[in-house]
Amino acid sequence: MTTNQKPFKRILLTGAAGGLGRILRERIKPWAEIVRLSDISDMGAAQAGEEVVQCDLSDKAAVHALMKDVDVVLHFGGISTENNFEAIMRANIQGTYNIYEAVHQAGVKRVVFASSNHAVGFYKTTDYIDANSPRRPDGMYGISKCFGEDLSRYYYDRFGIETVCLRIGSSFPEPINKRMLVTYFSYDDLVEMLRCCLFTPRVGHTIAFGMSDNPASWWDNRYASHLGYQAKDSSTQFAHKFPDNGDYPEKDDITTIYQGGGFLLTGPQYI
Amino acid sequence: MTTNQKPFKRILLTGAAGGLGRILRERIKPWAEIVRLSDISDMGAAQAGEEVVQCDLSDKAAVHALMKDVDVVLHFGGISTENNFEAIMRANIQGTYNIYEAVHQAGVKRVVFASSNHAVGFYKTTDYIDANSPRRPDGMYGISKCFGEDLSRYYYDRFGIETVCLRIGSSFPEPINKRMLVTYFSYDDLVEMLRCCLFTPRVGHTIAFGMSDNPASWWDNRYASHLGYQAKDSSTQFAHKFPDNGDYPEKDDITTIYQGGGFLLTGPQYI
Amino acid sequence: MTTNQKPFKRILLTGAAGGLGRILRERIKPWAEIVRLSDISDMGAAQAGEEVVQCDLSDKAAVHALMKDVDVVLHFGGISTENNFEAIMRANIQGTYNIYEAVHQAGVKRVVFASSNHAVGFYKTTDYIDANSPRRPDGMYGISKCFGEDLSRYYYDRFGIETVCLRIGSSFPEPINKRMLVTYFSYDDLVEMLRCCLFTPRVGHTIAFGMSDNPASWWDNRYASHLGYQAKDSSTQFAHKFPDNGDYPEKDDITTIYQGGGFLLTGPQYI
Amino acid sequence: MTTNQKPFKRILLTGAAGGLGRILRERIKPWAEIVRLSDISDMGAAQAGEEVVQCDLSDKAAVHALMKDVDVVLHFGGISTENNFEAIMRANIQGTYNIYEAVHQAGVKRVVFASSNHAVGFYKTTDYIDANSPRRPDGMYGISKCFGEDLSRYYYDRFGIETVCLRIGSSFPEPINKRMLVTYFSYDDLVEMLRCCLFTPRVGHTIAFGMSDNPASWWDNRYASHLGYQAKDSSTQFAHKFPDNGDYPEKDDITTIYQGGGFLLTGPQYI
Amino acid sequence: MTTNQKPFKRILLTGAAGGLGRILRERIKPWAEIVRLSDISDMGAAQAGEEVVQCDLSDKAAVHALMKDVDVVLHFGGISTENNFEAIMRANIQGTYNIYEAVHQAGVKRVVFASSNHAVGFYKTTDYIDANSPRRPDGMYGISKCFGEDLSRYYYDRFGIETVCLRIGSSFPEPINKRMLVTYFSYDDLVEMLRCCLFTPRVGHTIAFGMSDNPASWWDNRYASHLGYQAKDSSTQFAHKFPDNGDYPEKDDITTIYQGGGFLLTGPQYI
Amino acid sequence: MTTNQKPFKRILLTGAAGGLGRILRERIKPWAEIVRLSDISDMGAAQAGEEVVQCDLSDKAAVHALMKDVDVVLHFGGISTENNFEAIMRANIQGTYNIYEAVHQAGVKRVVFASSNHAVGFYKTTDYIDANSPRRPDGMYGISKCFGEDLSRYYYDRFGIETVCLRIGSSFPEPINKRMLVTYFSYDDLVEMLRCCLFTPRVGHTIAFGMSDNPASWWDNRYASHLGYQAKDSSTQFAHKFPDNGDYPEKDDITTIYQGGGFLLTGPQYI
């Protein structure tokens, strides 16, 4: 491969119409001749270097077709907030199974799976955990992310398909509450992390936390050290928006006791 | 409660027509005035002290009806071997979700969930693991058991519903191959373990390995020490059926490299 | 030393009028020519091979006198239940300091310090801890035991004075509630443990849990493995007195959530 | 709360006449409308925004009065060097108990407790420890700090009162010997650490090491990661005052073998 | 294979004239049609089912010849006490290298390597270690055993040759001092351990401690749990020969401070 | 010692004609009045402040002569790539033994031993290890480095001779392949690390990884935190020479699976 070429011939990005999908659509173009975009929603017209394929991930045949000639997959598709279980099961459980079985059949070598901090949201905000800490999902959404992590582990152990499960923190333009000063993951850092996930020669099956270089942290990325990810951004620049105050939360306020924050207040019975 | 009474008014046993379900049907009667039996298959007529309710666990309404007036649940239902993903998803993922949501709605306090060693079957036969070791499922069946463990963890963290996830080894009349000398879990020991799971005052969310007192072991039950389980049986009495020999397995024989054994050879693409 | 002689010339037993002190007074005679008994309360007349010295451990001069010609100390003195802080400070903090400073001045080589499971009583009844687990005292009494463990550690690190801190479970004739099925420590096992503490050639500074071979346990004695203690008794023989029942404790009943049991309900403000 | 207001109405600073107390008196004013200063020694006249209350912490009634209308406490009072045990017991053990019982009675929600590296001074200078490492106090002073850590743990576990135990290294204008190149904690960094301790929404019970960003370190602050403390200073700027030399300490020089340094040479019998 | 046959065609036992070699010569016959015996010393005439080959293990060609048609190796050869380094290097380092290179060339699948507790003899007698604890050899002999453990690890990682490194305690007819009450490894238990090492289907590279079921222990065999070794003997029956006494060793007596015992007093400069 | 003097009177540098030896010869002059250079190869003429002594490290008498009047040793001598075992044994095993025995006889207090990442080269490139991780040598060279680490541990435990075992990564002018982006150790950082090793007041027996501040890392230097080493360089500046590409290595390419890289392909049978 000469340096004139882009590294990959074709990247598949699922969830391309979602919040992060729209960001990534712009940012990952340098990595592939063609970016194939997929979502259940409308993604607009294909731009240069793009292929647009509307697809319900719970449709197995469609997903297998989607995988044709793909080198690597950024699997950001599915439901990305708490929802009723059946919807999550269809989109995130059936859907992720379809992705992996298609990956396996198509001979794709590597996947980045958009997991979530909500796979471990029931740790306390005074805990400090790493990728080997037992999971503590904080809802149906988090449970579906645990499923994806287990599923991808299986496909690695059994078939050698590499995956980085990226437990994304809060990837937004900026933190919108105090909690996000801890979990903030800037778009630039997200893109840099994805670059590391795709271009590290070997990643095996890695669970990494997606966060910027924020002052406070609940997550130790030691088991992702081989990725070489180095955050450039920090939530510090936004700290002034949430000035210090002495209004401590109530002792039984679970949204501040546990890392999952507001997700804790949602649950299967409320939806 | 006087000692004349049985401890529970009503135990629900799912999977009552299955291999272990048929054993337990006979053995758990002393623990409840009424044992409600459930399975997707025919269970024959109700005996004294029994209620028989045929039920597909993927049918949410039926499961909610099943839970009425239940004190505790022994959830042995679902598919208990490797199968295609969709069947496992319906029976073990949707089915177990239905059980827990019904448990939650009905105010049931405790569940024993029949998990499996196949949730960690991709550890090596030279590894020694405990309940906190990251999961390594060895197939779709094992992945569905991981799901059940995560789901029950959520219901405990969020709602205080206690569960013992019992990673059952090989619960058969006797070991039928060398691997089972390690994983053997006699029926008597299974029943004693269930007794511990049901009658320990608090179990929180516990992951326990179901095994007899076999000479070799891959599993450390230290995090289930509070259950007070003491195995009475051992595979030693059956060891003579598998005499020592020098026929070492091939280096790449994954059924002896990994704890999951023959399950390793099955997989989504083979079914 | 010939085998006709007793191993020690003089053992000092503090707290000799207490519940365990009275038991030990009878049982440790084979180990020393003279057993010096001390308590703040009346101990009756000295028997053959005994010296009886009534003594308030908070009286430094008295304690130094007490230590004269002593080989080893079994420090069971002080307050052994929850009490107001000032009383505990005087008896257990000042008192234990006096003991150690006297031990140091007198050149005594080894102490067995009667610590307590209440030094870690705020672990949950579903936790499994060992001697290196951070302390979680459940009251002023437990805090005073933590103090004694730290103090004795200092005297070992600085002066080489050996101590076994024995975190005694429930050393009574028999368990009187369900909790004690876990914490039971028979008198015979207590005596055997003390024998190990006194006669192991080196003990350094060891923290050991005092318990019989009960089916359920919260405590891993791995860091006391060099003591060679092997329990002969078990709470199993008393289990029938607390029959299995399905009356689960309330979710917020701290006496069953935490290992400390009923001690949790006492506290500085209640006394 | 608008940003015009100060975060707290009233902070209590004990030990206000001590070395660090005098520094903090100047620095913490932005955090509270009123800083209540307390010490056993004379503190001079109250400045604007100050209340000055001379108080012996071993006087329970005085301490309870001191706590009236206090939001949070910075407990820097007591004896801060090695001393005879009785003095330390009165000031640091009885005194800290009085503080916490008053905190509890007054409904104060959070305390920063000035603990010390001397709670673990008997680790070696080649060890690397964290907040969960078993304690190794290096003298009576260190033992009293262990007591405070245990006591505050109890008040958190039992009553939910939050504490950060800050194991302060060497908080001086600059390092005055080689050891302090490792333990240096600049005043600016101390103040920043206190800011984190007071304004992190939840701290539970945290043990943090107080040190600047020095090149060498014996302490891993991983379990304080949620505080968001980031040191701005380093001992590097002072390193030239202690030039490299080949004069290795003697093998048995305990002041260089153990982290506690010169404190190791003091002890109960020497004072 | 029918049960009439012996499991192996040919076992090679090195060190057959040594203390343990002579014991094993008698005991391992049931496991192989032919036991090939090797030693640098005279072994007497071959008995039925034996081949006797005198061999200096530092002679590479001789060792390669020795390995012809061998199924498995019990490598007990070399120097088994402290000695000068050059002798140990020749016998234990060059010798063990020759064994492994011959094993590799000959396609032998499994080796039991007689390692020693002296590979970790510089742990304290109050420590409790396992196979993953960093090594602490107590002399040149111990260092040569560390070498063998590293070498065999390499041959496993690189070529898949399985080895059990058996850190033999004190394998003698009975304990001859107090230390051996901890380290005793009866001949029967040694033979049972070897049986486990040879007939467990997979052993990978395992480090196991060779000890009977003694009351006190310094070694945790958890990482050898897959071997299924269960000791039948205990040093308890010999305890009466070393009656309890209060003669504590001197504080600086390294033979009781460290696990290696008397080996600590030997060293390169003393020989 | 006044600041005009150099810290040491005489440093011995072995391997002075080797790749790193030639670099160090220039760089360590500020640390000693005299640098004694040793190698088996020609080193050219002695410069000012140098002594040049050609010496085969396997010659015990020569090594003992070499050690006369030496303060500290930088032991970089021996074979530094994979080679046949006998050559490595003579140079690295016998040679390093000779060094340490001479160090012991001569009363030298401290050694820096040039160990290698190849002592742990059989960890995977997705592993993250520290100094306590069990060794996984990747060849005869790596095994000889394990030997040196064990030997130096013994000399520390038994005689108090301090050693830093420096597991050098890739110390070259710049990385020459992708692997070296992880293992790069600039000459400046090597010199700074050696400065830390020599001038930290106590180092005991430390195992440190020699690497620059590279983005990706396989090694956690936490147990060398007391050294105060801070890398100034990073491989980042060279990353553009190895542009991102999607050419993933084959699944069975052991040079990318394991940390040892190309060393994995060499082995005893190939040389």
Side-chain angles (χ1 to χ4, degrees), chain A residues 167-179:
Chain A
R167 290 181 179 166
I168 296 171
S170 301
S171 202
F172 293 100
E174 61 178 73
I176 58 172
N177 57 38
K178 271 206 161 187
R179 177 181 177 274

Short mmCIF file of all heavy atoms in Angstrom, two decimals, chain A residues 167-179:
data_model
loop_
_atom_site.label_atom_id
_atom_site.label_comp_id
_atom_site.label_asym_id
_atom_site.label_seq_id
_atom_site.Cartn_x
_atom_site.Cartn_y
_atom_site.Cartn_z
N ARG A 167 -16.69 2.04 25.66
CA ARG A 167 -17.73 2.50 26.60
C ARG A 167 -17.73 4.02 26.60
O ARG A 167 -17.03 4.67 27.38
CB ARG A 167 -17.44 1.96 28.00
CG ARG A 167 -17.66 0.47 28.11
CD ARG A 167 -17.40 -0.02 29.52
NE ARG A 167 -17.63 -1.46 29.64
CZ ARG A 167 -17.23 -2.20 30.67
NH1 ARG A 167 -16.59 -1.61 31.68
NH2 ARG A 167 -17.47 -3.49 30.70
N ILE A 168 -18.54 4.54 25.73
CA ILE A 168 -18.56 5.97 25.50
C ILE A 168 -19.16 6.69 26.72
O ILE A 168 -20.18 6.27 27.27
CB ILE A 168 -19.39 6.27 24.23
CG1 ILE A 168 -18.67 5.64 23.02
CG2 ILE A 168 -19.59 7.76 24.05
CD1 ILE A 168 -19.47 5.68 21.75
N GLY A 169 -18.47 7.75 27.14
CA GLY A 169 -18.97 8.57 28.24
C GLY A 169 -20.07 9.49 27.74
O GLY A 169 -21.13 9.04 27.32
N SER A 170 -19.80 10.78 27.78
CA SER A 170 -20.78 11.77 27.32
C SER A 170 -20.17 12.52 26.15
O SER A 170 -19.41 13.47 26.34
CB SER A 170 -21.14 12.74 28.45
OG SER A 170 -21.68 12.03 29.54
N SER A 171 -20.49 12.08 24.96
CA SER A 171 -19.90 12.68 23.76
C SER A 171 -20.87 13.68 23.18
O SER A 171 -21.75 13.34 22.39
CB SER A 171 -19.53 11.58 22.76
OG SER A 171 -18.55 12.05 21.86
N PHE A 172 -20.69 14.91 23.62
CA PHE A 172 -21.54 16.02 23.22
C PHE A 172 -20.63 17.22 22.96
O PHE A 172 -19.46 17.20 23.33
CB PHE A 172 -22.54 16.34 24.34
CG PHE A 172 -23.56 15.27 24.57
CD1 PHE A 172 -23.41 14.37 25.61
CD2 PHE A 172 -24.65 15.14 23.73
CE1 PHE A 172 -24.34 13.36 25.81
CE2 PHE A 172 -25.59 14.13 23.93
CZ PHE A 172 -25.43 13.25 24.96
N PRO A 173 -21.19 18.27 22.39
CA PRO A 173 -20.34 19.46 22.16
C PRO A 173 -19.70 19.97 23.44
O PRO A 173 -18.56 20.40 23.44
CB PRO A 173 -21.32 20.47 21.56
CG PRO A 173 -22.36 19.64 20.90
CD PRO A 173 -22.52 18.42 21.77
N GLU A 174 -20.46 19.91 24.55
CA GLU A 174 -19.87 20.29 25.82
C GLU A 174 -20.71 19.70 26.94
O GLU A 174 -21.85 19.30 26.73
CB GLU A 174 -19.77 21.80 25.95
CG GLU A 174 -21.08 22.55 25.91
CD GLU A 174 -20.85 24.04 26.10
OE1 GLU A 174 -20.34 24.68 25.16
OE2 GLU A 174 -21.15 24.53 27.19
N PRO A 175 -20.15 19.65 28.15
CA PRO A 175 -20.90 19.10 29.28
C PRO A 175 -22.11 19.98 29.57
O PRO A 175 -22.03 21.21 29.50
CB PRO A 175 -19.91 19.17 30.45
CG PRO A 175 -18.57 19.24 29.82
CD PRO A 175 -18.77 20.00 28.53
N ILE A 176 -23.23 19.35 29.88
CA ILE A 176 -24.44 20.13 30.18
C ILE A 176 -24.88 19.96 31.64
O ILE A 176 -25.91 20.48 32.03
CB ILE A 176 -25.59 19.77 29.22
CG1 ILE A 176 -25.92 18.27 29.32
CG2 ILE A 176 -25.24 20.16 27.79
CD1 ILE A 176 -27.17 17.89 28.55
N ASN A 177 -24.09 19.23 32.40
CA ASN A 177 -24.35 19.17 33.84
C ASN A 177 -23.05 18.77 34.53
O ASN A 177 -22.05 18.45 33.88
CB ASN A 177 -25.50 18.21 34.16
CG ASN A 177 -25.26 16.81 33.64
OD1 ASN A 177 -24.13 16.31 33.67
ND2 ASN A 177 -26.31 16.18 33.14
N LYS A 178 -23.08 18.78 35.84
CA LYS A 178 -21.85 18.50 36.61
C LYS A 178 -21.31 17.10 36.34
O LYS A 178 -20.10 16.88 36.30
CB LYS A 178 -22.13 18.67 38.10
CG LYS A 178 -21.92 20.09 38.60
CD LYS A 178 -21.59 20.10 40.09
CE LYS A 178 -20.91 21.43 40.48
NZ LYS A 178 -20.42 21.42 41.86
N ARG A 179 -22.23 16.14 36.23
CA ARG A 179 -21.80 14.77 35.98
C ARG A 179 -20.92 14.70 34.74
O ARG A 179 -19.93 13.98 34.70
CB ARG A 179 -23.03 13.88 35.81
CG ARG A 179 -22.71 12.44 35.46
CD ARG A 179 -23.98 11.61 35.27
NE ARG A 179 -23.64 10.26 34.86
CZ ARG A 179 -23.44 9.89 33.60
NH1 ARG A 179 -23.54 10.78 32.64
NH2 ARG A 179 -23.13 8.64 33.32
#
